[in-house]
Amino acid sequence: MINLIPPKTRFKNNARYIHLIPALKVICCLLCLALPASLMAKDTALKQPGVSVPDTTADSVLLKRRLINNAFDNIFIQNLRTSEGGNDYFNKIKTQLTADLAPNFILFQTPKSRFFATFTARVKIRLLASHGAPVKSPSFMPGATIFYRLNEDTYKPKFLSFGYSHHSNGVRGPSLNPDGSFNRDSGKFTTNFYTLTYYTGKRIDKENLIINRYDNIALEVHAGLFGLGMSEGLKDHYGFIRVNGSRMYNLAKAYDDPLEKGKKVYKNWQRIRFDFTYIADKYDNYSAVDFKKRLNVSLKYYYQFPFMPSTALMVGGGYRGQDDYNQFFEDSYGYVTIGLASDLSFNFGKH
């Protein structure tokens, strides 16, 4: 049997097919025109000055580097010298007040650089317990220091510092007495020295507590070793090569923010610091193991109350094999110190 399709129905299906082909052709033409145009527009944008395609990878690397530099700047600040005032006891020459003032001026600090530079206008003062309470020739010890980070681990930081310092007492009198001894009353004292220091650290986070430990070892070389930058009488009697070192524990504690309920702020709480200096070169025929004349050591403990934003109570003691107070460098003795300490480094963690 032959099925006959009505002519009208056959024409209707063919019409649908005939109209579909032109539509597909139009779509293909539009795609062909649009694709090259978009490619050309992208290429033009890349070539135009001032127009760039965002590079999220490069931006994230740059941001990470700057965050690390900023974190290391805070680490450098923690290791700056503090200002201290109070009194030393059991000195050979009794005092009523002693002070080691070390204001730190930050000369260079930016997240764009791994360098950090400071100038410290350090002055040491001893108010003697004698008639008139004289200040016996203060020690003027200004210096500049440059810090440089070596790694990117803020929990195990490693960095270097290089510093230049001057030490004098501002007196113009002759350094030596007629008999050749050092003039301790009005004699001029001057020395200049360079210090290269290597630091390592470790940070431990506990609940409501941050513990930072820093260790350093340093080589201190005085210009007097080369016959320069020293007053008469120091050669062969004063240490021109010294090995310095220290270990410090800095503890920051979480407190309730007095302004925002439910928020915590970290502030310095306690600090323990041990320092030593060993005179390594030959002087006054002392043997290399004569620690009574070659070794200076000190151990200090600091406690900071919440209402003391940048000041801490200080107690400590130590031994001076060669006194670091200008004219009295020939003295050796043990001592105890009590007082206050303050500086930039005691603002750590205040956030």
Side-chain angles (χ1 to χ4, degrees), residues 84 249 251 269-275 298-305 312-317 337-341 346:
E84 300 173 357
Y249 289 93
L251 285 72
W269 178 37
Q270 298 180 70
R271 175 179 289 188
I272 302 172
R273 184 179 179 100
F274 171 77
D275 293 274
S298 71
L299 179 64
K300 295 178 180 178
Y301 169 76
Y302 306 83
Y303 187 89
Q304 191 167 2
F305 291 100
L313 296 176
M314 175 198 66
V315 61
T337 183
I338 300 174
L340 299 173
F346 278 102

Side-chain angles (χ1 to χ4, degrees), residues 175 201 321:
S175 299

Side-chain angles (χ1 to χ4, degrees), residues 121-167:
R122 187 182 179 192
V123 180
K124 298 191 71 174
I125 300 171
R126 290 181 184 176
L127 189 67
L128 302 186
S130 56
H131 181 69
V135 176
K136 192 67 174 181
S137 57
S139 285
F140 299 98
M141 307 177 71
T145 306
I146 297 175
F147 291 86
Y148 179 81
R149 72 171 176 87
L150 295 175
N151 68 345
E152 297 184 348
D153 191 346
T154 56
Y155 276 73
K156 292 183 179 180
K158 297 179 182 180
F159 54 101
L160 293 171
S161 75
F162 179 76
Y164 164 78
S165 299
H166 170 76
H167 185 184

